[in-house]
Amino acid sequence: DLRHTVMIVGPTGGGKTVCLNALSKAQTGQTGGDAAGIIPGMGAPQAEGAFQLQRTIAIHNAPVHSVAMATHDINNDGQLKNKVVATASWDATIKLYDLERMELVKTFGDVEAGAEGKMQGLYAVAWAKTAPEILGCTCCDHNVYLWDHTSGKLLKKLPGHSDEVNGIDFHPSQQVMCTASDDCKVII
């Protein structure tokens, strides 16, 4: 039941999967997990309310570098928040996965080489907090990409960094974005 808090953990399994973990007893009233529910590298649950593996999703063909939960009603349909997770992978795609329906919803960047929207390996993905339709990602090609996730269209390819861009975040109440790069710069 996904009415409860969901935490995203990645990369795991060689980075090719995204593990979704829901809080156990503290949030859901369920008992803690057994050894089968232990997250690799996390060890055994230490106390009540420890995390319990819910499912593993294999939707990429290369390591997954970033995951981001939708923090608002991304479909503008008045439905519960946090039903969709965005993943950024070294396979040069962003994928949206619906947690409730347990299915892949949309893929961005899965186009022929040279076509608009073709990206290289991705490091980070984030939802714009003031514009629910915008999804941003950072890339090893020194660019930042902004997508309209509702239409599937590339809005902007933003140059400016001189090395791989590996971090992105959006201001919570203003139309401001910040990116970080291996060029030792932060661009706002």
Side-chain angles (χ1 to χ4, degrees):
D1 186 350
L2 292 174
R3 292 175 296 146
H4 304 284
T5 303
V6 176
M7 171 168 268
I8 305 302
V9 179
T12 62
K16 295 181 183 176
T17 60
V18 177
C19 289
L20 301 178
N21 301 284
L23 294 174
S24 64
K25 191 173 183 179
Q27 292 287 327
T28 66
Q30 299 172 359
T31 58
D34 57 17
I38 296 173
I39 303 167
M42 294 289 287
Q46 299 298 312
E48 287 189 39
F51 297 103
Q52 186 177 37
L53 181 65
Q54 294 297 307
R55 66 178 156 256
T56 300
I57 303 165
I59 55 176
H60 285 283
N61 299 320
V64 174
H65 286 260
S66 180
V67 294
M69 293 294 299
T71 57
H72 49 273
D73 176 13
I74 66 165
N75 296 320
N76 294 318
D77 61 5
Q79 297 298 311
L80 182 67
K81 298 177 182 182
N82 294 337
K83 289 184 181 177
V84 176
V85 61
T87 60
S89 171
W90 206 244
D91 67 10
T93 64
I94 298 171
K95 297 194 181 214
L96 300 185
Y97 185 83
D98 187 302
L99 297 170
E100 189 173 79
R101 296 187 322 229
M102 296 190 296
E103 67 184 15
L104 182 63
V105 177
K106 201 173 285 186
T107 300
F108 302 93
D110 191 17
V111 295
E112 296 295 322
E116 182 179 59
K118 181 62 179 170
M119 302 177 286
Q120 294 180 26
L122 301 179
Y123 281 110
V125 64
W127 300 93
K129 296 170 180 84
T130 59
E133 71 283 359
I134 296 178
L135 188 62
C137 68
T138 64
C139 189
C140 71
D141 69 2
H142 309 182
N143 295 296
V144 174
Y145 294 83
L146 297 178
W147 294 88
D148 180 330
H149 79 84
T150 59
S151 70
K153 294 187 180 192
L154 177 66
L155 298 174
K156 297 266 185 192
K157 177 179 175 181
L158 302 171
H161 285 288
S162 60
D163 206 342
E164 296 181 353
V165 188
N166 44 43
I168 185 170
D169 201 3
F170 290 88
H171 192 279
S173 62
Q174 299 177 21
Q175 291 187 353
V176 175
M177 176 185 67
C178 183
T179 59
S181 169
D182 286 346
D183 64 7
C184 302
K185 294 180 189 171
V186 171
I187 296 178
I188 299 173

